Amino acid sequence: MELHNLKPAAGSVRDNKRVGRGYGSGYGRTSTRGHKGAKARSGYKVKKGFEGGQMPLQRRLPKFGFNNINRVEYKAINLDVIEKLAKEENLTKIGVAELVNYGYASKGQLIKVLASGELTSKVDVEANGFSKKAEEIIKEKGGNAVKL
């Protein structure tokens, strides 16, 4: 067997169906679209969720849930991240700008420090929010937790 002898298996490759090419092709006249109706016309496109005029499922089902318009969304930063930053970059003061610079938060995000992980060094932390435990741990180590 050589590359120039390779062929697809018998019956695995077929020519495309050429519709609308006269009666002799077997696919002339209605061109496999049936008689009349929207699907027989050119430019037909079905909308997502359309059920032939029946009330669609997404409109039959009731709306539910609640979205609080006053919700404040914070980016959670754990103490182990602050510890890592302080050690790797030799920082004693970590604020929102540092967290954004090192890719832990996006510009304009509100940051809340959570108590997951350990903190071993004295660090001053500035953020938009702190959990009670995180604030306690930072102050235990001699640092300051400044709320913006």
Side-chain angles (χ1 to χ4, degrees):
M1 182 183 291
E2 282 111 23
L3 284 176
H4 66 274
N5 290 336
L6 291 178
K7 277 195 223 165
S12 68
V13 178
R14 304 173 78 184
D15 291 336
N16 291 338
K17 186 190 284 188
R18 296 189 70 225
V19 297
R21 296 296 183 275
Y23 291 111
S25 69
Y27 301 116
R29 201 166 149 232
T30 58
S31 305
T32 72
R33 288 170 173 248
H35 296 279
K36 300 184 180 176
K39 286 185 185 176
R41 319 279 183 203
S42 67
Y44 167 75
K45 195 173 102 189
V46 69
K47 286 185 174 137
K48 201 186 302 183
F50 182 67
E51 297 183 19
Q54 173 176 296
M55 186 65 67
L57 182 69
Q58 75 271 19
R59 291 192 58 203
R60 289 197 301 263
L61 298 176
K63 289 195 272 185
F64 67 94
F66 173 73
N67 289 324
N68 187 353
I69 59 168
N70 299 315
R71 176 182 163 80
V72 178
E73 186 106 13
Y74 289 99
K75 171 72 177 171
I77 300 290
N78 291 316
L79 284 178
D80 54 359
V81 171
I82 290 178
E83 174 71 15
K84 185 179 167 190
L85 249 182
K87 278 206 170 127
E88 287 179 2
E89 307 299 329
N90 295 326
L91 299 173
T92 55
K93 185 178 179 197
I94 296 174
V96 175
E98 285 77 23
L99 291 167
V100 170
N101 286 344
Y102 292 108
Y104 290 106
S106 298
K107 196 175 175 186
Q109 268 186 326
L110 299 176
I111 293 170
K112 185 169 186 173
V113 179
L114 305 179
S116 177
E118 285 188 32
L119 187 66
T120 55
S121 53
K122 177 189 172 190
V123 183
D124 295 336
V125 183
E126 287 183 355
N128 302 98
F130 294 90
S131 68
K132 286 179 189 172
K133 186 136 188 194
E135 203 166 353
E136 284 172 21
I137 293 170
I138 291 168
K139 287 181 179 171
E140 257 176 41
K141 301 296 176 189
N144 287 326
V146 180
K147 202 170 187 183
L148 300 175

